[in-house]
Amino acid sequence: MAIRLDGKAVSAHFKEQIAQEVADFVSQGKRAPHLAAILVGEDGGSKTYIEAKDRACQEVGFNSTILRFPATITQEELLLEVEKINNDSQIDGLIVQLPLPKHIDENVITQTIIPEKDVDGFHDINMGKLAKGDHSGYVSATPLGITMLLKYYNIDTTGKHAVVIGRSNIVGRPMSILLSESSSTGNATVTLCHSRTQNLKEICLTADIIVAAIGKPYFLTGDMIKPGAIVIDVGTTRLDDTTRERGWKLAGDVDFKEAEKNASMITPVPGGVGPMTITGLLNNTLKAYKRSK
Ligand code: GUN
């Protein structure tokens, strides 16, 4: 039976370190790091994420501002809000929660956030730096959080075959770059799989590490996992669940019950990658703060 990689506990460990650093800055008379988050519309998942990020900021002593706008906001109005924050010297990092309403071009918005405050790592400059192995930029919070988890558990990725399923700009693509770069959580041989991949099961069965980031509940089944492989589940789909008061449950991309019989290590959902994503974001915000000083 696989060891569970406890994202919640590891996140708490890193948050304590961040809180200590913040306390030291504040005791020197400096202001605390400040993260601003823009939330457009009423999407339940986005609201939950933004509120969790806000709580985490408060836990580590960051200032946190949530700017909420109705789904009817125009692209031009939203761009003005982004520019206000770009020019606000009291704010170190800005995230605009995705997805945005259809009439707003997400790419235009994410490219308007100045790279220095782009703690989501979505700006072309930050994506370009990542692709080049230049660590002076910001890496998307979920892949960054996963590398922090790998490091914490001393998981050796060197020379291993890592299979990433999903090629999104937020998770799959940056994850594939991090695992292949020359670093302590890299040096893997990476295969990036997606919806058009043929023989996915055969490829997965050769993986020492699998990162499932496709957004399809329970997609990765036990028979796709080589005995002893390490499985990282990025999925967070909300499925109807009438047995719960809130009416839904969170489903990962991995069929956990079967997968844990084959894997040597596995992240649960919830309590695996989710808390590490928030830690990745806190890490980026602290980095932005230190650079602005
Ligand atoms: N939507 C889903 N994941 C993310 C993320 O990491 N950042 C932002 N801004 N929106 C998201």
Side-chain angles (χ1 to χ4, degrees):
M1 208 58 105
I3 293 167
R4 289 187 192 202
L5 301 173
D6 188 345
K8 205 172 164 193
V10 177
S11 163
H13 162 83
F14 283 113
K15 279 197 283 196
E16 255 174 55
Q17 285 186 354
I18 294 170
Q20 188 55 55
E21 276 200 61
V22 174
D24 290 346
F25 285 121
V26 171
S27 71
Q28 293 161 25
K30 298 187 175 122
R31 72 161 172 82
H34 188 170
L35 175 69
I38 290 181
L39 175 63
V40 179
E42 299 290 328
D43 178 74
S46 290
K47 261 189 183 168
T48 308
Y49 292 135
I50 286 281
E51 281 157 15
K53 289 168 184 175
D54 182 54
R55 264 198 312 278
C57 281
Q58 288 169 17
E59 281 168 26
V60 298
F62 287 5
N63 293 322
S64 168
T65 302
I66 305 179
L67 296 153
R68 296 170 195 263
F69 300 104
T72 50
I73 190 171
T74 66
Q75 181 164 308
E76 288 64 35
E77 287 166 337
L78 189 56
L79 285 171
L80 285 177
E81 296 297 335
V82 169
E83 273 158 16
K84 264 193 241 167
I85 296 171
N86 280 344
N87 294 321
D88 187 337
S89 63
Q90 301 297 305
I91 295 176
D92 305 294
L94 168 62
I95 58 170
V96 177
Q97 190 65 28
L98 305 179
L100 289 169
K102 295 263 178 296
H103 65 277
I104 298 176
D105 185 334
E106 290 183 354
N107 193 51
V108 170
I109 302 298
T110 51
Q111 300 310 311
T112 301
I113 300 172
I114 53 170
E116 293 80 5
K117 296 195 182 187
D118 168 39
V119 288
D120 257 331
F122 295 168
H123 194 285
D124 291 351
I125 296 237
N126 287 317
M127 296 277 279
K129 284 185 173 179
L130 169 67
K132 287 177 71 181
D134 173 347
H135 289 196
S136 69
Y138 301 101
V139 177
S140 178
T142 299
L144 177 63
I146 292 170
T147 61
M148 292 167 83
L149 190 68
L150 296 174
K151 209 176 271 181
Y152 181 87
Y153 281 100
N154 287 317
I155 291 170
D156 186 9
T157 49
T158 298
K160 301 285 167 57
H161 183 207
V163 169
V164 178
I165 316 174
R167 56 183 160 185
S168 72
N169 287 329
I170 300 184
V171 184
R173 199 179 305 281
M175 189 77 248
S176 70
I177 296 169
L178 287 170
L179 286 164
S180 64
E181 73 176 11
S182 176
S183 76
S184 63
T185 50
N187 292 320
T189 304
V190 179
T191 305
L192 181 55
C193 298
H194 45 77
S195 54
R196 302 295 180 91
T197 297
Q198 293 181 355
N199 308 324
L200 182 66
K201 180 177 172 183
E202 286 70 23
I203 295 169
C204 287
L205 279 168
T206 68
D208 304 303
I209 300 163
I210 304 182
V211 180
I214 28 179
K216 290 187 184 162
Y218 315 128
F219 179 85
L220 190 79
T221 46
D223 61 344
M224 297 167 83
I225 299 166
K226 181 171 81 169
I230 295 164
V231 177
I232 309 291
D233 187 351
V234 182
T236 53
T237 306
R238 285 184 175 197
L239 293 183
D240 291 342
D241 183 355
T242 50
T243 66
R244 294 176 200 225
E245 203 177 315
R246 65 184 184 192
W248 55 271
K249 65 176 174 184
L250 214 50
D253 287 350
V254 178
D255 178 357
F256 186 88
K257 278 208 177 74
E258 290 305 312
E260 73 170 341
K261 293 178 191 162
N262 273 350
S264 61
M265 294 179 165
I266 186 166
T267 60
V269 174
V273 171
M276 293 309 300
T277 293
I278 293 183
T279 305
L281 178 66
L282 295 176
N283 221 60
N284 281 345
T285 306
L286 184 61
K287 185 173 174 181
Y289 167 80
K290 285 180 182 169
R291 282 164 132 206
S292 72
K293 290 282 143 208

